[in-house]
Every structure is written in C-alpha cells, then in structure tokens.
Amino acid sequence: MWLFALPALLINICIILVPAVLTFTAAFFIWDGVGTPVWAGLANFQNMIADPVFWSALTNNFIWTVIFLTVPVCLALVMAAALLMAPKARIVVQSIIFLPRIIAVAVTGRIFQGMIFSPATGIVGWLNEHGFSISDPLADPDRSLYAVAAVDIWHWWGFLAVVFLSAMRQISVDQIEAARLDGAGFFALFRHVLLPGIRPTLTLMLILTVIWSFQVFEFIFIVTRGGPAYGSEVLATFAYRHAFFEGDVGQAAAAACVMSLFGLCATAVYLWLQITDDAQTT
Amino acid sequence: MTMTRRQLVAAIPAAALAANLPRGARAEDGRKVVTFWFGQANSDGQAALRNDLVEAFNAAQDKYLLQMEVKGAAVNNLLKVALVAGNGPDIVQTAGPAYLTAIANAGQVLPLDDFAEKYKWKDRFLAPLLNTSVYGGKLYALPRDYESMHLFYNKELFKQNGWKLPTNRQEMEQVADAALAKGIIPFGAGNADWKGVNEWLMTVFFNNVAGPDNVRKALSGELPWTAPPFVEAVELSKAWYNKGYFGKNYFSLTIEQSFLQVVNGKAAMALSGTWSFGTKSYGMSKPDTVMDVAPTPSLGSAFTGSLVHLACGATLSIAKTSQNAEGAAAVFEFMLTRKFYEAMNRDWPGKWALPVKDLPPEMLQGIGYPLFEKTIANLHEAFSKGQYGFTTWTFWPGATNSYLIEGIEQVWLNKITPDAYLTRMQTLFSQEAREGKVPPLPPRTA
C-alpha cells in the first residue's frame, strides 16, 4: 500500500513539505532574498506584532472569512435547491452561473476595476454622468475590502452552487418525494431534507472557505494591491509586500506562518468533525 | 569558495528554478551567447529592443550573440532567485541603485572596474549617475538612463486662461485654484495601476518644499525625517490632496487616463517623469502643439527657481557567475555608440537616455522629438553641474521607500498624522541605514 502512495508522497514532500519547512525556518532569519540569512530569533514575529498594519490585515482576513462563510454560501444553497426543483432550467442556469469561474482572475479583476467601478470608464462613471452620485468603492479605504469581496463572490458563488447541487442530487428522490407528500414547502424541504443531506459537503466547503480566506491574494492584489491606505490589506498582500518590495523575506515568512496557523486550525476542526462522525456511525 | 549552511538553505529554492538555464552557451555559428533579461516593455519598447539593441549589436560584430528575454514586471524577483542559484543572465539589469544595493552587497555581480578602465567608462559617464553604483570603492553597475520629475502642462489651456507657468508655490496655487474654479482639475494624477505614482509626487514635495540639501542631509543621516522641513512637505501634500488638486479620482484613474486628462484639457498640469515621452498612449506628439514641459518649481523657502531630480531608472551589471563577462561588457560598449543612442531614443524616448558626458546638440536633434530633446538637454546640463534633487526610487532604501508609498495614502486619507508618518519613516530609515542599505549619495552643488 505504501508503494502506491509513494509518488504522491514524494510530490507532496518536494512541493509542500520542503517549502513549508524552509518558510518556517526563514521566519527566524533576517534575509533580503539575495544575501546571507542572519539569525534573528523571534524578532520577525515581534516586529510583526508591533506593526499596526499586520493587525488591520489580520482583521481584514477575519472579515473576509465571515463574508465568504455567509454570502456566497447562502446564495449558492438557495440556487442549488432551486435548480434541484427545476430540472429543465438546470443546464442553462448552471452554465451561466459557472461562467465567472472559468474567466481568469486577472481578467475578472480588470473588468470590475475598469468597466464597473471606474469613474472614468465604468458603470459608476456612467451613473455619475446621469445624476447619481456614486463614488468608486475601490478608492475608499473603508469600503475597498467589501468591493473586492463582491468581485470574488461573483467569481466564486456559481461554483459553490454547482458543488451543492451535485451533493443534493445524491439525496434519495424518495426522501424528497415523501417530504413533499407530507406537505413540506420549499423552506421546510430545504431545512429538514436538503441541508442535512449535504452536511458532509457543506462542512468541507466551509472548512475550505476558512482556509482559502486566510490565503486570499489574487483579487486583492490585482484590484487594489491592498490599498488605499492599507484598507484592503490582508496577510498575503502584507507578506508579498515585505518579501518583494521591502526585501524582508523573514518578515514575510513570519506572516506566512500566521496564515498557515489558521489553515491548520481549520484542518484540525475538519479532522475532529470527521472523527466524531465516524464514531457516531460505528 | 565554501558555502555556509545558511547560503545552502537560501539557494535551494533558487537552484530548483534555475537548474535548467543554459550556461556559457555558444550559438551555432560559434559566437558566445550573452543573455539579458529585460523587465517591462510596451510594444514600441519591445520593437526598439529587438531592432536597435539585439539585432544591431549582433550585426555590428561576430564574436558575441546577444539573446534578450522580456520577463515582465516580475523580473526583479526572478533575477534575485536566479542569482542566488548562480544561474542568472550574463547582464543583470536592476530597477535602479536601490535594487542594486542588496545584489552588490551580496556579491552577486562583478566589479566593473577593469572593464571601466579598458573602455574608459569613468570618463564617458556623468559622475553623479555612475557614482550611485559604487560600493566600497568598486563600480558594480552602469546607469542605463537618467530620469527626473517634471511639470507637464497643457500650454493651450494656459494660453486660453491667461495663466503663466508657475515659478513658486504661491503662483502654483493661484493657477491650481483658478483651474478648480473653472471645473478643471489642477493636476491630472492617478495611481490605480501603479502605486509608485505616490512616490513621484512625494519626490516633488520632499525636494521642492524641504529643499534638496535637506533631503541629502536626511539621506546621509545628518537630519531626521521628522524635521520641520519634511513635516511641511508632507502637510503641503495633504493640503493639496484635500483641496482636490489631484482630482476626485486619484485612486481610481490609471496613469494613462490621468495624463490624457491634461492632454485633453480636462486637467491643467501633471507631475510626471521623463518616461512619459516614451508612452505613445499618453497622447503627446512630435512636435507637440498642446503640451509643454518644464522643471518643477520651488514649493517652499529652501530654494528659489526650479529643480530637476536625479534618478536612475535602471542599472546594468554583469553576473558574478557569468561565463561571458567580456561579451556583456561589449554590449555595454555598444550602448555607448552614437548610433544606438539616437536610434533607441528616437524609437523609445526616455527609457534609455544613457547618461553620457558628451551629448552634443546635434546628437539630440537626431532624435526628432523637440520636447524630449529640450528636456534631456536641460537635464544633462543640471546633472553635469550637480544641481539636482534626489528621487525616492533611486536613493531611498527598500522598506523606507515602500512605506513612503503606502503610508502617504494614510496621511492623505486622514488615517494617520504627518508626524506619525514621518516618525515611522525615520524608524525604518535608521534601521536600513544601519544595515548599509542606503544607496551611495552623489554630492550636489547649490
């Protein structure tokens, strides 16, 4: 059995374990990325904790997590349930809502930045010309994070809906029919049959959402680069800035360790839930 | 040379990336290959690089074959990784002395003194620019260009409104207020696609308010960044932002969109750099009937008149591990030919303005772009005389410069005070100065 696992194991060691160990090690060194690393002990972590931008980035990661655990999940669940009930519309609607997922992140980011939010070339600009006073949310440090989150939700929720729909289709048709015969409406069916029926999938997606939320980078980097005034800064953009603009790889690695810590916590919760489920089953 | 465990750990990811690069290769015709990675270049730039540099160099001699790859915006990161692994290109181009410092301090590039002696480069380059690449008495790079911030303005708009070219802060604010009253944006500016626009503006505020002598003192550690002249500079930048001098959409517009506002008469002026000449989409033309350009005026009491700012947008070095250092030096020597200077500046103005000492007027006239020729001639004279300020991207060390760019947004958007901004800048600068990360400072004359 171990022989079968060997190729995957080797790949994981090379592309995950080795970089992870090197990153963890780098967090304890002062290194500009090109010279000789110098031992720094916990200095990188101390500097990071003393930096208010780190705390605002961490807070933004938590806000991002809460947004993505609620808004796209709710949208996707309702859409999946609706599509389950309306099989004729399924193929067309699934294709439409899945489409944003296959558009490159950079393209999506630029579309929203230039064609929607821009006061010069976007819908916001058009609305302003027609008497509506709307400012570009990406230019406001208090709203920029939510604006980028909206872009990512547009890109993400359709995929989530398709995943939930696939899980719902595994639920026994008899069970759904029986609930209907007992007089269950859409929301009763949703609450008492569909949601419990997809609980393992839902749990997995929520756990993955937590992990991904602490790794979020692309959309923020492309659309706002963490600004303005650090308004949409998250841990990944914080780390990137330190590594590649400030030549402070150690500090970036320390931030990466914090990101990984939250991912590990989420993974631990997932494993614990699995073990609990297994225990209940047996 | 023995490698320490730390160096070994640092080299592992780099080695993995660069393991497959060819080293000291020879072309089919027996020429030795010289490799060169370039960063970002628009379509005009790529054509100019291909025609005026690569093909022209390869046709001009038969010993070496220049091979160039345009790597895009990530070139600085790729280069660092490849150099640590000992597999970088022969010609190492950095984004200026602030980037070169780490690479030179780490000994990843060769001292060029022997080549400089052989080709007499020290007699042929402007000393203030060449000296930005001298570390520990050794020359590690050649400056690829010089740049400066300038005041670009719509001369038609100025003429229509009876505005005169401002020569001090009071006149500048009078023009700006008059423009605002007419619904014209005083300065076309936007950083949606490049946050570095913040430092373009701050280069002007620091130098033109606090004065270049105070800036030099601060960079050499004789004056803290928290000193009153710098507080005044940051406060003025905030006052101008809050008065709407940079328009309502500074964080939403791209550089191109904001510059076009000036060309189209929606904005009166732009504080931008000499690289603006090399981007056709900015809307300037040869000859230009709408736009004009001038050095930036004094904005404080530290000096009178106008000022240009010393900047080196890129440096050229030879990798320590290069198998073909002679070939790389031959490319540098080719760049010093008059034919190359004229062709490159004609096809991609402002991007490869090699800071040569000998720049006769007829050489500039060959470029065929009067506004650019006038600007370069003026810049050349000022740099030759030592009359310049200091650009942030050339002389500020990495972390300080990054904070200068990011933190000023917090000041403008009322998240922190100018004092808090400068205190943080001073903390970062002190640390980087202790670590030897401040690029060499050329002297200046009053």
Side-chain angles (χ1 to χ4, degrees):
Chain A
M1 190 184 78
W2 282 104
L3 207 58
F4 284 116
L6 194 62
L9 199 64
L10 279 176
I11 291 170
N12 273 288
I13 287 171
C14 290
I15 66 168
I16 295 177
L17 186 65
V18 171
V21 170
L22 286 174
T23 303
F24 182 72
T25 310
F28 298 92
F29 286 85
I30 291 171
W31 186 38
D32 61 10
V34 68
T36 306
V38 177
W39 174 254
L42 293 172
N44 286 323
F45 291 94
Q46 286 164 344
N47 291 341
M48 187 174 69
I49 288 166
D51 186 350
V53 178
F54 164 74
W55 292 106
S56 68
L58 186 61
T59 306
N60 283 343
N61 272 109
F62 276 109
I63 293 171
W64 190 274
T65 307
V66 170
I67 291 171
F68 276 79
L69 283 175
T70 52
V71 181
V73 172
C74 292
L75 283 172
L77 282 171
V78 171
M79 177 56 80
L83 288 177
L84 188 74
M85 303 299 155
K88 284 184 184 169
R90 209 177 278 164
I91 292 179
V92 175
V93 175
Q94 270 192 106
S95 305
I96 293 170
I97 63 173
F98 196 78
L99 198 63
R101 184 66 192 166
I102 59 170
I103 300 174
V105 171
V107 175
T108 305
R110 289 294 180 210
I111 288 173
F112 271 82
Q113 193 184 33
M115 296 172 70
I116 294 178
F117 294 135
S118 170
T121 55
I123 292 171
V124 165
W126 186 84
L127 287 171
N128 274 302
E129 282 172 15
H130 289 80
F132 297 92
S133 181
I134 300 172
S135 61
D136 175 5
L138 298 176
D140 179 350
D142 298 324
R143 290 189 294 154
S144 57
L145 184 76
Y146 301 99
V148 186
V151 181
D152 201 355
I153 288 170
W154 182 80
H155 176 254
W156 171 240
W157 82 280
F159 169 76
L160 212 52
V162 172
V163 171
F164 289 151
L165 178 62
S166 301
M168 285 177 187
R169 291 179 69 185
Q170 306 303 314
I171 299 169
S172 161
V173 178
D174 295 343
Q175 200 181 346
I176 296 170
E177 290 299 323
R180 275 182 169 166
L181 286 173
D182 288 342
F186 178 81
F187 287 105
L189 183 72
F190 183 72
R191 186 183 180 313
H192 298 291
V193 178
L194 299 183
L195 267 187
I198 65 162
R199 193 170 152 256
T201 305
L202 185 60
T203 307
L204 176 67
M205 293 315 292
L206 292 178
I207 297 288
L208 287 176
T209 298
V210 174
I211 295 171
W212 289 334
S213 294
F214 279 92
Q215 293 174 347
V216 59
F217 176 76
E218 304 100 314
F219 273 113
I220 292 176
F221 189 73
I222 289 165
V223 179
T224 63
R225 291 185 180 253
Y230 300 116
S232 56
E233 185 92 314
V234 288
L235 288 176
T237 52
F238 176 87
Y240 187 88
R241 192 162 43 76
H242 275 282
F244 297 116
F245 290 112
E246 301 183 8
D248 190 354
V249 177
Q251 184 82 105
C257 287
V258 175
M259 288 164 61
S260 301
L261 185 70
F262 286 99
L264 278 174
C265 289
T267 309
V269 169
Y270 180 66
L271 291 174
W272 177 76
L273 285 173
Q274 267 199 331
I275 292 165
T276 313
D277 264 4
D278 288 347
Q280 282 172 354
T281 311
T282 53
Chain B
M1 190 194 81
T2 55
M3 202 174 195
T4 64
R5 267 181 298 176
R6 284 173 189 171
Q7 283 171 325
L8 190 67
V9 166
I12 288 171
L17 183 80
N20 293 322
L21 295 176
R23 306 289 305 145
R26 274 185 186 274
E28 281 178 13
D29 58 2
R31 294 186 189 201
K32 286 184 83 176
V33 172
V34 182
T35 51
F36 183 7
W37 293 354
F38 200 85
Q40 284 176 292
N42 58 22
S43 55
D44 287 343
Q46 292 199 29
L49 289 169
R50 192 171 51 247
N51 299 329
D52 302 334
L53 178 60
V54 178
E55 289 179 7
F57 173 75
N58 291 338
Q61 46 74 49
D62 57 8
K63 269 177 90 175
Y64 308 110
L65 188 76
L66 177 61
Q67 289 183 343
M68 173 178 279
E69 285 180 67
V70 177
K71 294 283 189 183
V75 69
N76 291 322
N77 303 335
L78 288 174
L79 200 57
K80 275 186 179 178
V81 173
L83 287 174
V84 171
N87 273 307
D90 296 302
I91 297 176
V92 176
Q93 178 178 283
T94 75
Y99 288 83
L100 175 69
T101 307
I103 291 171
N105 284 341
Q108 298 290 358
V109 289
L110 288 177
L112 299 179
D113 298 277
D114 291 344
F115 291 120
E117 180 88 28
K118 179 179 172 185
Y119 294 115
K120 305 205 180 312
W121 286 336
K122 286 179 184 170
D123 299 331
R124 295 160 73 192
F125 278 90
L126 285 177
L129 273 301
L130 195 67
N131 290 341
T132 57
S133 300
V134 175
Y135 297 85
K138 290 183 178 174
L139 177 69
Y140 283 94
L142 297 180
R144 194 198 69 188
D145 58 17
Y146 46 35
E147 306 170 331
S148 172
M149 292 300 295
H150 271 72
L151 182 70
F152 292 79
Y153 63 101
N154 187 315
K155 64 182 176 189
E156 281 294 305
L157 202 63
F158 268 60
K159 196 174 162 188
Q160 284 166 17
N161 290 285
W163 299 332
K164 289 209 166 62
L165 184 66
T167 58
N168 55 43
R169 186 198 296 186
Q170 191 188 3
E171 290 176 12
M172 184 75 102
E173 290 183 340
Q174 277 171 359
V175 171
D177 290 336
L180 273 181
K182 285 186 165 248
I184 297 166
I185 300 162
F187 295 94
N191 79 347
D193 56 340
W194 176 243
K195 278 200 170 196
V197 174
N198 298 355
E199 68 171 322
W200 300 355
L201 299 177
M202 289 316 294
T203 285
V204 175
F205 283 108
F206 275 128
N207 284 280
N208 293 37
V209 176
D213 289 318
N214 282 329
V215 171
R216 195 180 188 286
K217 280 183 191 169
L219 286 169
S220 53
E222 296 167 34
L223 189 68
W225 289 108
T226 49
F230 303 118
V231 177
E232 186 190 347
V234 175
E235 281 176 345
L236 184 69
S237 78
K238 181 180 177 178
W240 281 21
Y241 178 85
N242 288 336
K243 281 167 84 175
Y245 281 10
F246 302 124
K248 289 178 186 170
N249 298 315
Y250 177 76
F251 294 107
S252 305
L253 297 181
T254 63
I255 301 168
E256 185 180 303
Q257 286 168 341
S258 60
F259 202 93
L260 280 169
Q261 285 182 324
V262 187
V263 177
N264 296 333
K266 289 181 180 170
M269 302 171 276
L271 291 166
S272 191
T274 41
W275 53 85
S276 306
F277 292 108
T279 312
K280 275 184 189 165
S281 56
Y282 283 12
M284 290 196 294
S285 46
K286 324 171 190 177
D288 211 311
T289 53
V290 175
M291 294 293 290
D292 207 343
V293 62
T296 53
S298 165
L299 297 175
S301 54
F303 72 98
T304 54
S306 60
L307 187 70
V308 293
H309 314 92
L310 186 67
C312 174
T315 64
L316 297 164
S317 303
I318 301 175
K320 180 186 70 178
T321 53
S322 171
Q323 306 281 310
N324 195 3
E326 286 284 348
V331 175
F332 296 168
E333 185 57 16
F334 175 78
M335 290 172 193
L336 279 156
T337 59
R338 181 171 174 161
K339 192 180 163 195
F340 172 79
Y341 188 97
E342 284 178 358
M344 186 55 97
N345 283 288
R346 178 196 62 222
D347 296 338
W348 203 17
K351 289 287 183 177
W352 212 298
L354 217 59
V356 288
K357 261 186 195 169
D358 186 25
L359 193 63
E362 65 272 19
M363 190 160 149
L364 278 174
Q365 282 157 13
I367 294 168
Y369 191 169
L371 214 54
F372 175 68
E373 291 158 23
K374 175 182 94 169
T375 307
I376 290 295
N378 176 44
L379 214 55
H380 189 266
E381 188 185 352
F383 289 169
S384 303
K385 290 179 178 171
Q387 294 168 339
Y388 42 72
F390 300 87
T391 51
T392 56
W393 59 94
T394 301
F395 295 103
W396 266 245
T400 311
N401 194 38
S402 177
Y403 182 70
L404 176 138
I405 294 169
E406 302 285 342
I408 194 64
E409 293 185 354
Q410 291 188 295
V411 176
W412 292 344
L413 295 167
N414 300 314
K415 299 285 180 189
I416 58 171
T417 63
D419 284 331
Y421 172 64
L422 290 167
T423 302
R424 173 79 175 145
M425 189 184 294
Q426 177 60 31
T427 305
L428 291 168
F429 182 81
S430 301
Q431 190 179 332
E432 292 195 289
R434 277 196 303 277
E435 293 166 1
K437 291 181 177 173
V438 182
L441 286 171
R444 53 166 263 109
T445 51

